[in-house]
Amino acid sequence: MASSPQLLDRPRVLVVGGGYVGLYVALKLQKKIANAGGIVTLVDPLPYMTYQPFLPEVAGGNIEARHAVVSHRQHLKQTELLQGRVTSIDHANRTAVVAPADGGDNFEVPYFDVVIAAGAITRTFPIKGLAEKGIGLKTIEEAVALRNSVLDRIEVASSMTDPAERARALTFVVVGGGFAGIECITEMEDLARAAVKNNPRVKQEEVRFVLVEAMGRIMPEVTASQAEWVVEHLRSRGIEVLLNTSLDNAEGSLKLINLPDKSLAQDFEADTLVWTAGVQANPMVRSTDFPLEPRGRVRVLADLRIAGDEGIIPNAWAAGDVAAVPDLSGSGLPDGTCVPNAQHALRQAKRLAKNLWASRWDKELKDYKHKNLGAVAGFGEWKGVANINILGRIGLKGPLAWLAHRGYHGFAMPTFERKIRVIMNWILIFLMGRDTTQLIDLDNPRGAFVAAATPAPKPAAAPAAEQPKAAGSAERVTADSK
């Protein structure tokens, strides 16, 4: 174990993860803890928090990628930031092991309180070819790559003459019919329509979008009638919706099966495969001494303290997707815990920060309770669905739902500075239209420079030409010698 970097020698609140929960806990506590003589330390491999509900809009070109993230350095001025991963926690001895993002030696970080806010990762299944061919929609990098891939495939296909290759390039498949999958495929379809309008060598009817969902309905967060309307809306835009269908194999062509009878549903080729079929708790919690429930989440009470069979674990807290937080409203998952989404994570973070601070002064802790505000989803410009619970349940479709979606997420975007940047993006898109400029070679930015800086090979020297003999010289030598 290497020596620790220069850490501030104060009682430490260690925040593991810089997503929704980690960012807000640090924001709410950094000043209070510092004034009390302590320090908040946040550990995350990324230097920013990603507002994941905006990833479909980033993929669709409606929001600049940097505006959908919140810089830790810019907004956590009084927080000690460590860029790396917590690989293990020994709470009995109040220490965590951190692996630096730059690949250096691991080091230990002592703490007084710990907040587990490591979030979730994409949940996948052992499907052949999925890891090699698929892409998720959980990070800002994936959203940017997906946007560029859609534009690239349309541009490349416009120059293809082989019908099979052209069809493969223009086929886009999204697996998962939850909010992320529906918003992703509709934003991609909007982006593709805009790109095709600018490219006379591609026709809109050539572009194929396929949504694959294993359940018998999509978007469980909205009512059944709204879900049916969404399916009709998708199909009216030419998007194929395959319910009770699963991806069986992604090696070569995509093989889809009907789940009721396990028969082959479709077999076709596609260059673009997006996986949005669920999330799972960050597996780093398995390297801790905290109690976990069957789904791999940290067990917590409603006041967000970690607790196991033997009772409450002092000075240990957790919230967000990595924690099994009881849903006191009764509208959560079948096991009685909160649904893993941004709405819960943001609210839980604020309650956790208040409870942690109250625990320092032996004040009463309050349980996390919430009123479900409903659900909003955007399907591209002026299209969407919403289920709003304010003065009773209000169901919205179309432009009003789209405005509700933007209004809610614009308000929920962390920090005033980021709200303004996102709103300005929307205003520019409204005035100027969607930007379909393709950025290429982002995975190889030095390619052009390396080619220019590499000396060209010298041409091989031509063999010396044989000198012709003077006419009659051989005869003269022979004659003179006689």
Side-chain angles (χ1 to χ4, degrees):
M1 189 78 62
S3 60
S4 300
Q6 224 173 8
L7 299 175
L8 295 175
D9 187 18
R10 303 179 197 169
R12 176 174 285 104
V13 176
L14 178 65
V15 181
V16 181
Y20 306 110
V21 174
L23 175 74
Y24 268 98
V25 167
L27 273 173
K28 298 297 182 181
L29 288 179
Q30 59 180 354
K31 186 175 181 180
K32 294 178 179 179
I33 296 295
N35 290 341
I39 184 72
V40 175
T41 300
L42 186 146
V43 183
D44 194 280
L46 299 174
Y48 50 77
M49 169 264 191
T50 303
Y51 190 69
Q52 293 179 7
F54 280 156
L55 292 181
E57 291 210 49
V58 172
N62 279 324
I63 295 177
E64 161 65 35
R66 290 174 299 171
H67 299 165
V69 301
V70 180
S71 167
H72 293 153
R73 290 281 176 199
Q74 186 174 350
H75 295 282
L76 299 177
K77 299 291 188 182
Q78 293 177 275
T79 296
E80 182 180 51
L81 299 172
L82 299 177
Q83 197 168 337
R85 297 181 184 275
V86 172
T87 59
S88 64
I89 294 176
D90 179 4
H91 190 66
N93 294 303
R94 299 291 202 279
T95 57
V97 176
V98 175
D102 63 3
D105 294 331
N106 294 1
F107 57 88
E108 288 188 347
V109 177
Y111 63 82
F112 182 79
D113 283 288
V114 65
V115 177
I116 306 300
I121 63 172
T122 301
R123 180 188 64 185
T124 59
F125 301 104
I127 299 172
K128 291 182 179 180
L130 177 60
E132 294 77 16
K133 195 167 189 174
I135 184 172
L137 192 62
K138 198 79 173 62
T139 68
I140 198 71
E141 293 81 8
E142 288 173 325
V144 172
L146 187 55
R147 174 189 181 275
N148 289 329
S149 178
V150 170
L151 297 174
D152 173 75
R153 292 296 83 199
I154 292 173
E155 186 63 35
V156 168
S158 69
S159 301
M160 289 179 172
T161 55
D162 183 275
E165 291 183 357
R166 190 177 176 99
R168 183 175 67 243
L170 293 175
T171 300
F172 305 92
V173 180
V174 175
V175 179
F179 264 57
I182 301 299
E183 291 187 318
C184 174
I185 199 168
T186 50
E187 287 287 354
M188 287 169 56
E189 198 269 343
D190 254 18
L191 176 65
R193 282 184 181 275
V196 168
K197 285 181 181 178
N198 294 330
N199 194 328
R201 295 195 301 270
V202 178
K203 297 179 181 179
Q204 182 60 42
E205 53 267 27
E206 293 183 274
V207 184
R208 182 186 185 190
F209 282 90
V210 182
L211 177 72
V212 180
E213 169 53 44
M215 304 296 290
R217 61 162 287 183
I218 61 173
M219 301 180 74
E221 298 87 349
V222 301
T223 65
S225 61
Q226 285 178 318
E228 292 173 2
W229 177 85
V230 173
V231 171
E232 293 174 3
H233 170 77
L234 297 179
R235 288 173 173 163
S236 72
R237 293 167 62 170
I239 299 174
E240 301 174 38
V241 181
L242 306 178
L243 302 178
N244 294 309
T245 305
S246 176
L247 175 65
D248 185 60
N249 196 318
E251 283 186 321
S253 62
L254 303 184
K255 293 179 175 57
L256 308 179
I257 59 171
N258 290 312
L259 289 180
D261 57 10
K262 303 296 182 181
S263 63
L264 183 65
Q266 291 195 36
D267 185 351
F268 59 89
E269 293 190 342
D271 281 349
T272 305
L273 172 63
V274 187
W275 181 271
T276 65
V279 297
Q280 62 181 345
N282 195 316
M284 66 77 50
V285 296
R286 300 171 192 163
S287 300
T288 71
D289 48 1
F290 296 127
L292 307 180
E293 47 87 73
R295 295 177 61 177
R297 299 173 297 173
V298 180
R299 292 169 59 184
V300 299
L301 301 177
D303 60 15
L304 305 176
R305 288 180 294 177
I306 298 177
D309 293 336
E310 298 179 359
I312 296 170
I313 298 176
N315 304 99
W317 311 78
D321 295 356
V322 78
V325 180
D327 190 329
L328 301 183
S329 73
S331 60
L333 296 172
D335 63 0
T337 60
C338 292
V339 176
N341 61 25
Q343 187 179 136
H344 280 303
L346 292 172
R347 294 176 176 184
Q348 289 169 12
K350 296 175 182 179
R351 171 48 52 199
L352 190 157
K354 290 178 180 178
N355 280 352
L356 192 155
W357 182 245
S359 72
R360 291 290 181 91
W361 310 101
D362 294 326
K363 292 184 178 181
E364 180 185 2
L365 307 186
K366 296 183 179 180
D367 289 344
Y368 170 69
K369 297 179 181 179
H370 75 284
K371 179 182 178 182
N372 188 352
L373 296 179
V376 291
F379 302 156
E381 293 180 355
W382 302 104
K383 301 177 285 288
V385 66
N387 189 11
I388 301 174
N389 301 324
I390 298 179
L391 300 174
R393 176 171 289 185
I394 303 173
L396 300 175
K397 304 172 186 175
L400 286 178
W402 178 78
L403 289 172
H405 168 265
R406 289 207 159 175
Y408 173 77
H409 286 296
F411 176 77
M413 180 69 188
T415 76
F416 179 76
E417 171 255 343
R418 272 324 192 232
K419 295 182 200 294
I420 296 301
R421 290 183 186 274
V422 167
I423 292 171
M424 291 304 297
N425 278 185
W426 288 337
I427 292 173
L428 286 174
I429 293 293
F430 178 76
L431 295 175
M432 306 294 182
R434 190 188 303 258
D435 188 348
T436 59
T437 305
Q438 178 189 354
L439 299 178
I440 63 175
D441 291 336
L442 291 180
D443 57 342
N444 183 29
R446 295 182 62 249
F449 176 79
V450 170
T454 303
K458 296 180 180 180
E466 185 178 349
Q467 296 294 326
K469 296 179 180 179
S473 59
E475 290 81 355
R476 283 195 298 271
V477 171
T478 304
D480 292 342
S481 63
K482 289 181 180 178

